Amino acid sequence: MGQALKRSTINSDRLWDALEELGRIGAFQSEHDEIMGVRRLALSDEDAAGRRLVIEWFRDAGLSIDIDQIGNAYATRPGIDNTLAPVMSGSHVDSVPSAGRFDGVLGVLGALEVIRSLNDHNITTHRPITIAFFTDEEGCRFATDMLGSAVATNRVPLEQAWSLRDADGRSVREELERIGFLGDEPVGLRKPHAFVECHVEQGPILQREGLDLGVVIGVQGISWQRLTITGASAHAGTTPLEYRRDAGLVAAKINAHMREMCTSGSFGELMLATMGVISPEPCSINVIPGRVIATVDLRNPDDTALESAERHLQAFLSELSASEGIEIESQLTARTPAVAFSPDVQSVIADTADSFGLRHRRILAGAGHDAQEWSRVCPTAMIFVPGENDGISHNPLEYSSPEQCANGINVLLNTILTLADQDS
Ligand code: GLV
Ligand code: MN
Ligand code: MN
């Protein structure tokens, strides 16, 4: 039974080798430094290759695999009593265009390493264990984050998810079909006993405080919009100021205003706002931009403050549109409220970390995570692993050491064992 492996360790070299091997899929030479980055946009050829490698590893570990209609992959190791709900663990394989090797991948390959370690030690758990990866957690290709887990947990309807299109007009459904991951398992039916995800922190707190782990208490609210700012393209040298309808200038004003929203304190100290896409047309040095596609990413741990920031920004867009004579269309593409994780699962993680002598603290997630979707379905929490370089992430410099990763996955293993031995 599970007790036998408590406080024993995973195979850290094997975990590291797997992280390195998957990190070679979609690897690119970063412009700014020697370091290799990773680009595995959801449902791209690179994502498909990453998925296939992980599925092969799942199979080699003796797991039975199911793919659902949104392309999530579930791999299950039976327990003693397979009528009981499984403990589930997993994360994502897709990445932002400028990723490192750890975001999401540590949670998937860490869960795989848990299974491999259980196999090595011939450990049988009371409940089955399901490990998984979820489609398009990043949301940067099809504009909605946590897409696969949101569909699996009935927040986003399947048809709506299938019909999302990327910038080239390709739909989620077409791309799932093209890469061979349009599965047949119906979505929305899985009800795990508990869900636990290990992830890199992606911020500076754990490193700054010299800690080994974070026990994640929840996730802040996230609001995404796509702005279409339409003015008129015209000659940069011959168009007097009063004749201009400069969509680029308007995008810059919105961006500057978003920063003021963060520094003003009006939406609390923790308000964050980012314009990650600013895409002018026609994009030429001597043409006033006639149109800009821009994105807005607002984050706040306080739902009321986030709603108030959304309303404030909307009012600012209306005023600016009127004063500049420029059309600003905004479309909400993703919206998730702040989420609180299960105190019980947090306690299991914290006790397990103590049993390893690891220094830890409670911490709030700034990034979105698949776990927040599963938290509506079953008791859920997350383990954060510190990152070097102030925990930089969504950047090729993202790095957690073999020891830091192994700490997180040792705690994941033993947390899963405790949860998998629970009767209720
Ligand atoms: C995912 O990484 C997000 O929080 O944007
Ligand atoms: Mn992630
Ligand atoms: Mn990410």
Side-chain angles (χ1 to χ4, degrees):
M1 290 282 290
Q3 300 303 335
L5 200 64
K6 287 234 168 84
R7 294 206 48 225
S8 81
T9 51
I10 51 117
N11 182 333
S12 142
D13 290 342
R14 181 172 56 193
L15 171 64
W16 193 253
D17 288 348
L19 287 165
E20 296 221 307
E21 193 169 340
L22 187 49
R24 285 194 278 275
I25 297 181
F28 71 96
Q29 184 73 49
S30 143
E31 279 168 39
H32 306 296
D33 18 59
E34 311 269 286
I35 209 120
M36 296 296 282
V38 170
R39 182 173 296 147
R40 271 196 312 267
L41 292 182
L43 311 185
S44 62
D45 290 346
E46 294 77 18
D47 184 32
R51 284 165 167 261
R52 282 194 292 272
L53 177 61
V54 175
I55 294 275
E56 188 185 313
W57 285 336
F58 283 177
R59 232 174 239 128
D60 291 347
L63 304 176
S64 59
I65 295 162
D66 295 292
I67 311 292
D68 74 9
Q69 294 165 300
I70 193 66
N72 297 321
Y74 303 94
T76 298
R77 183 178 193 266
I80 292 168
D81 184 350
N82 293 301
T83 64
L84 294 174
V87 174
M88 195 186 285
S89 183
S91 194
H92 60 100
V93 172
D94 71 303
S95 86
V96 296
S98 57
R101 286 174 294 155
F102 300 87
D103 179 353
V105 171
L106 178 62
V108 176
L109 299 184
L112 170 67
E113 179 53 40
V114 167
I115 300 292
R116 287 172 163 175
S117 298
L118 293 176
N119 290 349
D120 288 350
H121 293 86
N122 283 319
I123 301 290
T124 312
T125 53
H126 193 44
R127 294 174 178 277
I129 299 171
T130 298
I131 64 172
F133 60 80
F134 304 103
T135 296
D136 193 10
E137 188 269 358
E138 293 291 3
C140 44
R141 180 170 176 205
F142 296 100
T144 302
D145 51 352
M146 284 80 72
L147 187 66
S149 44
V151 171
T153 57
N154 296 309
R155 181 170 67 79
V156 173
L158 178 64
E159 296 287 341
Q160 182 183 319
W162 272 349
S163 64
L164 292 172
R165 290 186 184 273
D166 71 1
D168 298 323
R170 278 176 260 185
S171 76
V172 166
R173 193 179 195 288
E174 285 158 15
E175 288 294 89
L176 280 170
E177 206 156 28
R178 184 183 70 80
I179 67 165
F181 273 87
L182 184 60
D184 53 15
E185 176 180 307
V187 293
L189 300 178
R190 287 186 181 253
K191 304 271 178 276
H193 169 66
F195 185 96
V196 56
E197 174 176 357
C198 182
H199 203 282
V200 282
E201 177 200 350
Q202 310 182 274
I205 296 170
L206 296 176
Q207 187 190 39
R208 193 174 63 209
E209 297 185 7
L211 299 174
D212 302 310
L213 279 189
V215 179
V216 184
I217 58 171
V219 184
Q220 67 179 339
I222 308 175
S223 170
W224 281 5
Q225 292 176 48
R226 180 179 194 269
L227 305 182
T228 308
I229 305 165
T230 310
S233 58
H235 197 294
T238 61
T239 314
L241 294 185
E242 64 272 27
Y243 286 81
R244 292 179 181 222
R245 293 174 58 229
D246 185 341
L249 180 68
V250 167
K253 286 188 176 181
I254 299 168
N255 200 4
H257 188 76
M258 282 164 44
R259 170 56 72 98
E260 277 163 29
M261 286 170 60
C262 300
T263 53
S264 68
S266 305
F267 309 99
E269 297 305 305
L270 299 174
M271 180 75 217
L272 293 173
T274 306
M275 187 174 274
V277 173
I278 308 171
S279 181
E281 289 169 20
C283 200
S284 170
I285 186 170
N286 53 359
V287 184
I288 296 163
R291 198 162 88 125
V292 172
I293 301 296
T295 54
V296 172
D297 174 317
L298 304 178
R299 305 204 187 201
N300 200 306
D302 176 343
D303 277 329
T304 313
L306 184 57
E307 283 160 21
S308 156
E310 287 172 310
R311 281 196 302 276
H312 173 92
L313 184 63
Q314 218 47 50
F316 178 77
L317 295 183
S318 302
E319 281 162 30
L320 196 62
S321 168
S323 63
E324 299 284 339
I326 278 194
E327 195 186 321
I328 307 173
E329 186 198 310
S330 67
Q331 184 199 358
L332 189 72
T333 56
R335 179 68 166 88
T336 43
V339 166
F341 284 149
S342 155
D344 290 345
V345 181
Q346 289 177 49
S347 295
V348 176
I349 294 169
D351 291 349
T352 308
D354 285 337
S355 76
F356 278 93
L358 297 171
R359 291 154 304 165
H360 57 89
R361 60 163 274 174
R362 297 296 205 272
I363 187 168
L364 181 76
H369 294 291
D370 294 301
Q372 73 191 77
E373 303 295 329
W374 288 96
S375 72
R376 288 189 309 278
V377 176
C378 62
T380 295
M382 296 180 71
I383 301 161
F384 270 180
V385 165
E388 303 293 316
N389 311 309
D390 299 323
I392 193 166
S393 185
H394 288 185
N395 181 308
L397 285 172
E398 178 184 74
Y399 182 80
S400 297
S401 69
E403 192 193 344
Q404 288 170 322
C405 293
N407 285 341
I409 303 309
N410 279 321
V411 171
L412 180 69
L413 164 64
N414 291 281
T415 297
I416 289 176
L417 283 173
T418 302
L419 296 169
D421 281 347
Q422 287 173 344
D423 288 326
S424 55

